[in-house]
Amino acid sequence: MNSPANLVGTVRHFLDITDVDGTTLAKLIAEARRRKAARKGLAHGVPDADKPLEGRVLAMIFDKQSTRTRISFDVGMRQLGGTTIMLTGSEMQLAREETIADTARVLSRYVDAVMIRLLDHEMVQDLAANAGIPVINGLTKLSHPCQVLADLMTFEERKGPIKGRVVAWSGDSNNVCASWIQAAVQMGFTLRVASPPELSARPVLRHWVKANGGDVHFGTDPEKAVAGAECVVSDAWVSMGDEDSTKRHNLLKAYQVNARLMSRAAEGAIFMHCLPAHRGEEVTDDVIDGSQSAVWDEAENRLHAQKAILMWCLGKL
Ligand code: CP
Ligand code: NVA
């Protein structure tokens, strides 16, 4: 688990939802919504001339595939007036055993911030600990904070303030789920997680919830979890780096979000999924394509939420 102790000097890293308190999360969401509205204005001829990151360079390192994270960070940085450099782990000397710490020291002499997608969470923490510039977690095996900031924004756009509301998770207690768990504590909402016992949340995360007085319920029954919830969330049964595909499919079959499960949620409940979706597995076509689905807004909101993160990391918010 990450903590504010990850902050090196005054450098603002965004490695986990726990790096920012509830007030800062609210500030990030407000800025994201303001910038989203400004872009919509641009589409109608009102110029969005504010370029707070002019002259700044973001290095993006991807050790795993990405569609949304890669494109939304690239476009977001350009909209803020900055530029990006796209790198993959395999083309860097990292692949020839240069340490992540030395890589951090060198990158800090060239660019203004780094966004990295690397499954090994500790390596990303190590990168941040040795960087004199902000590091943003673009997904590790343990968390996906940029995704969940966009999800919080999406919930609030559709349903109003999330504080005190009920959200349900059905499926693997994976990286996205972990960031939702952290968000529930930081933002003060109820989260009901339903997962097979073999794929439940890590004990360290459960202890942290308890120690921080969070209202997060860990169970195994998806129907109980979604009963009366205003938002139902699911994700892939097999995440990047998972190898036990057949076992996971068998364990997670009962956690599929379909019309029957959605009918147990509150009236007007929304469905969220970080994408990419595996239709017919964790979610059925009628749900993801139906009127309750918020998944395309979620994908769009990655762009706006990450612009707020970039501004915060670079001291412009
Ligand atoms: N949701 C998400 O992070 O998508 P990508 O893997 O396409 O970046
Ligand atoms: N849980 C998924 C999210 C993909 C954006 C994974 O880690 O592969």
Side-chain angles (χ1 to χ4, degrees), residues 65-70 117 144 147 240 274-276 302:
Q65 299 87 343
S66 169
T67 297
R68 282 143 288 268
T69 306
R70 177 176 171 172
R117 170 167 287 190
H144 198 1
Q147 178 66 51
M240 290 182 276
C274 65
L275 304 177
R302 293 291 302 277

Side-chain angles (χ1 to χ4, degrees), residues 96-115:
R96 292 183 60 249
E97 292 170 18
E98 183 166 24
T99 69
I100 197 88
D102 287 350
T103 305
R105 293 177 186 115
V106 173
L107 284 171
S108 303
R109 301 292 177 105
Y110 296 139
V111 300
D112 299 288
V114 179
M115 192 284 302

Side-chain angles (χ1 to χ4, degrees), residues 57-250:
V57 180
L58 173 72
M60 306 198 295
I61 305 173
F62 282 92
D63 201 44
K64 284 283 165 194
Q65 299 87 343
S66 169
T67 297
R68 282 143 288 268
T69 306
R70 177 176 171 172
I71 299 169
S72 55
F73 264 107
D74 196 349
V75 172
M77 196 63 189
R78 293 180 203 205
Q79 288 181 358
L80 292 170
T83 54
T84 58
I85 300 174
M86 170 66 196
L87 303 155
T88 61
S90 60
E91 70 197 351
M92 296 175 72
Q93 295 287 10
L94 271 172
R96 292 183 60 249
E97 292 170 18
E98 183 166 24
T99 69
I100 197 88
D102 287 350
T103 305
R105 293 177 186 115
V106 173
L107 284 171
S108 303
R109 301 292 177 105
Y110 296 139
V111 300
D112 299 288
V114 179
M115 192 284 302
I116 184 162
R117 170 167 287 190
L118 186 67
L119 294 186
D120 188 328
H121 194 85
E122 276 186 24
M123 274 182 82
V124 175
Q125 288 178 318
D126 200 11
L127 178 75
N130 289 283
I133 53 172
V135 175
I136 299 170
N137 171 3
L139 181 147
T140 68
K141 204 71 195 121
L142 297 190
S143 62
H144 198 1
C146 295
Q147 178 66 51
V148 169
L149 187 71
D151 294 353
L152 298 171
M153 173 184 176
T154 308
F155 180 98
E156 295 203 334
E157 275 179 344
R158 298 270 184 134
K159 304 292 237 180
I162 197 165
K163 190 175 166 62
R165 314 290 279 278
V166 180
V167 175
W169 176 276
S170 181
D172 179 21
S173 298
N174 62 14
N175 43 9
V176 178
C177 180
S179 291
W180 267 101
I181 291 169
Q182 294 177 343
V185 176
Q186 301 291 78
M187 297 286 280
F189 62 89
T190 298
L191 180 68
R192 302 199 204 115
V193 180
S195 304
E198 295 86 342
L199 300 173
S200 62
R202 294 183 306 137
V204 65
L205 203 47
R206 291 164 177 254
H207 294 147
W208 176 82
V209 168
K210 210 169 172 185
N212 287 281
D215 194 19
V216 182
H217 305 256
F218 300 95
T220 57
D221 183 344
E223 298 212 350
K224 268 196 194 154
V226 306
E230 291 176 274
C231 172
V232 178
V233 194
S234 77
D235 188 10
W237 288 347
V238 183
S239 283
M240 290 182 276
D242 288 337
E243 283 165 0
D244 44 354
S245 169
T246 308
K247 184 179 161 208
R248 286 172 162 273
H249 276 80
N250 290 334

Side-chain angles (χ1 to χ4, degrees), residues 282-300:
E282 72 270 10
V283 62
T284 51
D285 282 334
D286 54 346
V287 171
I288 196 167
D289 295 330
S291 60
Q292 289 169 285
S293 175
V295 301
W296 314 119
D297 286 351
E298 261 184 285
E300 177 184 341

Side-chain angles (χ1 to χ4, degrees), residues 271-283:
F271 168 73
M272 292 219 264
H273 188 306
C274 65
L275 304 177
H278 306 81
R279 290 162 175 265
E281 295 186 9
E282 72 270 10
V283 62

